[in-house]
Amino acid sequence: MNLPEFIYFDLGNVLLYFSRERQFCQMADALGISAAEVDQIVAKNDLMHRCETGKLSPEQAHTILCDTAESNCDFLSLFRAGSNIFELNLSMLPLITQLVRNGYRLGILSNTSANHWEYCLDHFSILRDCFEKIVLSYEVGVMKPQEEIYKAAIQAAGVSAGNIFYADDLHPNIEGANRCGMDAVLYTDTPSLVESMRQRGIELAL
């Protein structure tokens, strides 16, 4: 294993925890329908995939949801309802802080939508302060585990794929990164991640 020259982290359920159930319940309250109906509208219109690949803007998604639900919910209310679903993975804070102090180059590689990223950027300063490169599916136009998003991440890092370490919570995303030559590990908990990093020569005193 090579000593990593760049380290990427996934956003959801690695840096931040999130709840899809909470999202649909809050959106249901805002739209005046049930959470099951929100789920049906999202699935029928493929809203999640279209938003996370940048094919649909938050404003367009708002129009589809309101028209289908026959609701006059304003954009900001629905934006908050659909985005106020994240909380910081506190166990990651000491790790990220120490990596930054030790001079490691860090980035985020994530499937997400424009509205979720805007919300997270506004509410979690660590995302603004600690990560040099941000590679997001809605900006690249494809989602993990498609090859193109990993190639974009490799190019953004400016180092060879074999010198990039990546942590994600989903097996298909790890397999996609490995196929592109990155050194990727499954995130299950922070102590296990720290041990994987130590095995690769990353200096940590946690």
Side-chain angles (χ1 to χ4, degrees), residues 1-8 150 154 160-168 173-186 193 196-197 199-202:
M1 291 181 287
N2 298 333
L3 178 65
E5 296 178 19
F6 198 95
I7 302 170
Y8 275 114
Y150 300 106
I154 294 164
S160 65
N163 291 107
I164 296 175
F165 179 83
Y166 176 52
D168 194 296
N173 297 343
I174 294 300
E175 292 167 356
N178 286 335
R179 284 194 297 270
C180 290
M182 296 167 65
D183 178 16
V185 300
L186 186 71
L193 176 60
S196 293
M197 289 181 157
Q199 290 173 2
R200 288 157 174 81
I202 297 174

Side-chain angles (χ1 to χ4, degrees), residues 68 101-102 173 194:
T68 309
R101 286 177 179 170
N102 289 351
N173 297 343
V194 169

Side-chain angles (χ1 to χ4, degrees), residues 15-16 88 92-93 96-97 124-131:
L15 296 175
L16 305 177
L88 193 61
M92 288 289 286
L93 274 178
I96 299 300
T97 300
F124 303 101
S125 61
I126 187 175
L127 304 181
R128 298 190 303 272
D129 298 340
C130 296
F131 297 94

Side-chain angles (χ1 to χ4, degrees), residues 66-186:
C66 288
D67 286 352
T68 309
E70 299 181 349
S71 170
N72 61 358
C73 178
D74 65 273
F75 176 80
L76 186 56
S77 296
L78 193 58
F79 172 89
R80 289 172 176 164
S83 301
N84 183 20
I85 61 171
F86 297 93
E87 61 181 76
L88 193 61
N89 179 357
L90 294 175
S91 70
M92 288 289 286
L93 274 178
L95 171 58
I96 299 300
T97 300
Q98 189 167 139
L99 288 170
V100 170
R101 286 177 179 170
N102 289 351
Y104 288 100
R105 300 175 63 211
L106 308 182
I108 294 172
L109 171 55
S110 182
N111 290 341
T112 194
S113 58
N115 53 323
H116 281 174
W117 177 247
E118 181 181 337
Y119 179 89
C120 291
L121 207 56
D122 285 344
H123 288 79
F124 303 101
S125 61
I126 187 175
L127 304 181
R128 298 190 303 272
D129 298 340
C130 296
F131 297 94
E132 174 187 338
K133 300 294 181 181
I134 310 293
V135 181
L136 306 174
S137 61
Y138 82 91
E139 293 182 331
V140 177
V142 296
M143 297 173 65
K144 297 176 294 184
Q146 289 182 268
E147 181 178 324
E148 290 83 358
I149 193 167
Y150 300 106
K151 288 183 175 179
I154 294 164
Q155 183 176 10
V159 302
S160 65
N163 291 107
I164 296 175
F165 179 83
Y166 176 52
D168 194 296
D169 67 307
L170 296 177
H171 280 289
N173 297 343
I174 294 300
E175 292 167 356
N178 286 335
R179 284 194 297 270
C180 290
M182 296 167 65
D183 178 16
V185 300
L186 186 71

Side-chain angles (χ1 to χ4, degrees), residues 4 26 41 45-46 52-53 62 74 80 97 133 148 153 165 169 188:
Q26 291 175 169
I41 295 171
N45 293 279
D46 198 21
E52 292 195 355
T53 54
H62 169 259
D74 65 273
R80 289 172 176 164
T97 300
K133 300 294 181 181
E148 290 83 358
F165 179 83
D169 67 307
T188 54

